[in-house]
Amino acid sequence: MDYRGIFEDAVDVLRQEKRYRVFADLERVAGNFPRAIYRDGADNSREITIWCSNDYLGMAQHPKVVGAMQATAGNMGVGAGGTRNISGTNRPLVELERSLADLHRKEAALIFTSGFVSNEAAISTLARLIPNCLILSDQLNHASMIAGVRQSGMQKQIFRHNDMAHLRDLLEAAGKERPKLIVFESVYSMDGDVAPIREIVELAEEFGALTYVDEVHAVGMYGPRGGGICEREGLSHRIDIIEGTLAKGFGTMGGYVAAGKPIIDAIRSYAPEFIFTTALPPALCAAARASIEHLKVSGDERAAHQRQAVETKRVLGAAGLPVMPTETHIVPLIVGDARLCKAASDLLLEKHNIYIQPINYPTVPKGTERLRITPTPLHSDEMIAGLRDALVSVWATLDLPKDIDTSQLTAKMLNSGDLTLPTIGG
């Protein structure tokens, strides 16, 4: 058996479909974000501007965050020593969980090594513990949520994206007596749209369902204390489980869930992803908590973030570029072809020193390939103007279409009838 050939052929398929992923060798420099050093080979390096980072607020380089990590690493070392069940817990981790519980006004929180793991573990564990649980999942949920739903082994039904009439139909068919778990996101990472959270909560309360919301693209950035869209809408207390990440708005690493104590204790006690995984190191926990506590009281970063996101959309739209309309900080620029999307990304980096990773299938549906732009508070107006000029040049060089009806892309995709779309997101 030619095992090597099997794997080479599998990767070649991705290359032929222009979906093979190449990682850029980038060196972020604290204090200089969104600038970074790009290394093209062993001896060649140059400064570029990053326009697709999930470090949405630039908190990874904030002096309070860096200082907390450095001080804690100096005092406690750089490792956790093992799982919390074997090696015990550490004080920075305990304080971080308390900080997160307070952020979302919940009784407790639980830390995981990533947002993917927290979704997979929490959804699968909770659904398995609920007898005859029916999971109702939004069509565009992230791959980590889909993994959790599948891993639970429980019956699932997918409702059309943000379609409350369809969700109501499914809830009515299930009946009020059957246990149900509704899982959805607050901000969807590829289209930048927002869930109708109030309507989902009202339906859940009417039909006796638990609610589980993924706030990874919202925590830190929305709400008066950075608690996300649920906090902004005054709905945190009506959501049963809130999941989030430390790796985006908070600029560090890790995932978490916040909920009532019985729910958190059940996940802690039953989820193998938690039980058998080494805990986050103390220094990382201290850095994350410093970021969270800063953003609870400082709205400057959020205000600047929204201002630059709006300005980016305005400037690119005025230049006639096919910007998909969103109400959030995510700015999708539609190309509509995998090969051309990769070519546009390559040309931006090679000629204009701008890094934007192409987003192709299966992260987004075929025909909606895009450059996903994420402005931060640290992208100046001059940088935005430079981005516009570079994109206009690339569109002209590659003869990319500008007359794409971006307002119809989501509707077209949702009307395709496919309720099993494999989303990956980021």
Side-chain angles (χ1 to χ4, degrees), residues 32-302:
N32 201 32
F33 181 76
R35 307 289 192 192
I37 304 301
Y38 170 62
R39 302 192 183 282
D40 184 10
D43 301 320
N44 299 321
S45 65
R46 52 192 164 93
E47 186 177 83
I48 56 99
T49 303
I50 300 173
W51 273 99
C52 57
S53 175
N54 282 345
D55 183 10
Y56 291 133
L57 300 178
M59 292 301 292
Q61 65 172 10
H62 194 283
K64 289 182 181 178
V65 179
V66 175
M69 175 173 279
Q70 291 173 332
T72 307
N75 292 331
M76 303 182 69
V78 297
T83 69
R84 294 168 77 175
N85 293 287
I86 292 175
S87 299
T89 194
N90 61 74
R91 177 51 45 182
L93 199 162
V94 172
E95 292 174 346
L96 174 58
E97 288 178 337
R98 289 175 179 170
S99 180
L100 287 165
D102 171 76
L103 175 67
H104 295 293
R105 306 301 191 192
K106 298 297 183 186
E107 292 178 335
L110 190 66
I111 297 293
F112 292 85
T113 51
S114 74
F116 194 108
V117 175
S118 57
N119 265 334
E120 184 179 51
I123 293 172
S124 63
T125 300
L126 291 174
R128 284 198 305 267
L129 291 174
I130 301 172
N132 194 32
C133 181
L134 171 65
I135 304 175
L136 301 160
S137 178
D138 188 281
Q139 178 184 1
L140 296 190
N141 276 343
H142 189 267
S144 58
M145 304 178 80
I146 294 171
V149 171
R150 288 174 175 165
Q151 187 171 302
S152 75
M154 307 305 293
Q155 183 185 358
K156 68 177 184 297
Q157 291 182 334
I158 301 170
F159 60 93
R160 287 185 291 272
H161 179 54
N162 283 351
D163 187 333
M164 294 301 95
H166 190 207
L167 177 58
R168 172 177 282 278
D169 288 344
L170 295 177
L171 288 166
E172 287 178 342
K176 293 187 177 181
E177 298 304 315
R178 183 174 184 181
K180 297 170 287 292
L181 176 66
I182 304 174
V183 296
F184 62 101
E185 299 182 44
S186 63
V187 174
Y188 289 85
S189 62
M190 290 300 128
D191 288 356
D193 57 336
V194 176
I197 299 176
R198 187 175 299 277
E199 290 85 347
I200 292 174
V201 167
E202 290 172 351
L203 284 172
E205 292 171 349
E206 180 181 350
F207 289 95
L210 284 175
T211 47
Y212 181 107
V213 62
D214 176 321
E215 286 256 45
V216 298
H217 291 278
V219 288
M221 295 166 291
Y222 298 91
R225 301 195 312 151
I229 300 294
C230 291
E231 183 194 35
R232 186 189 73 178
E233 302 300 317
L235 294 170
S236 296
H237 65 291
R238 296 174 67 182
I239 295 287
D240 295 297
I241 305 105
I242 296 176
E243 185 268 349
T245 185
L246 305 171
K248 293 181 171 64
F250 297 127
T252 57
M253 178 183 174
Y256 66 88
V257 288
K261 286 183 179 178
I263 290 176
I264 295 301
D265 203 20
I267 298 171
R268 182 188 68 84
S269 301
Y270 281 92
E273 296 90 343
F274 174 82
I275 295 170
F276 299 105
T277 298
T278 297
L280 287 188
L284 190 55
C285 294
R289 181 170 180 266
S291 181
I292 293 164
E293 292 302 316
H294 173 80
L295 290 172
K296 282 180 182 178
V297 297
S298 173
D300 293 344
E301 291 83 1
R302 284 186 287 277

Side-chain angles (χ1 to χ4, degrees), residues 379-425:
H379 284 95
S380 66
D381 290 349
E382 291 76 17
M383 290 179 183
I384 294 173
L387 173 66
R388 174 201 59 204
D389 295 343
L391 288 168
V392 168
S393 173
V394 166
W395 248 249
T397 300
L398 298 177
D399 193 24
L400 299 178
K402 286 186 175 182
D403 57 347
I404 298 173
D405 187 357
T406 56
S407 64
Q408 298 300 314
L409 284 177
T410 301
K412 179 180 178 181
M413 177 188 67
L414 298 182
N415 290 333
S416 67
D418 181 10
L419 294 185
T420 58
L421 178 68
T423 57
I424 291 179

Side-chain angles (χ1 to χ4, degrees), residues 335-414:
V335 177
D337 178 272
R339 179 184 62 82
L340 291 174
C341 196
K342 177 66 166 61
S345 175
D346 290 344
L347 190 55
L348 282 168
L349 184 58
E350 293 165 6
K351 185 176 179 180
H352 301 280
N353 294 321
I354 287 175
Y355 175 64
I356 308 176
Q357 184 71 2
I359 305 294
N360 294 328
Y361 178 85
T363 306
V364 295
K366 292 179 180 179
T368 71
E369 292 84 356
R370 66 198 64 183
L371 300 175
R372 177 182 175 271
I373 298 167
T374 54
T376 74
L378 302 173
H379 284 95
S380 66
D381 290 349
E382 291 76 17
M383 290 179 183
I384 294 173
L387 173 66
R388 174 201 59 204
D389 295 343
L391 288 168
V392 168
S393 173
V394 166
W395 248 249
T397 300
L398 298 177
D399 193 24
L400 299 178
K402 286 186 175 182
D403 57 347
I404 298 173
D405 187 357
T406 56
S407 64
Q408 298 300 314
L409 284 177
T410 301
K412 179 180 178 181
M413 177 188 67
L414 298 182

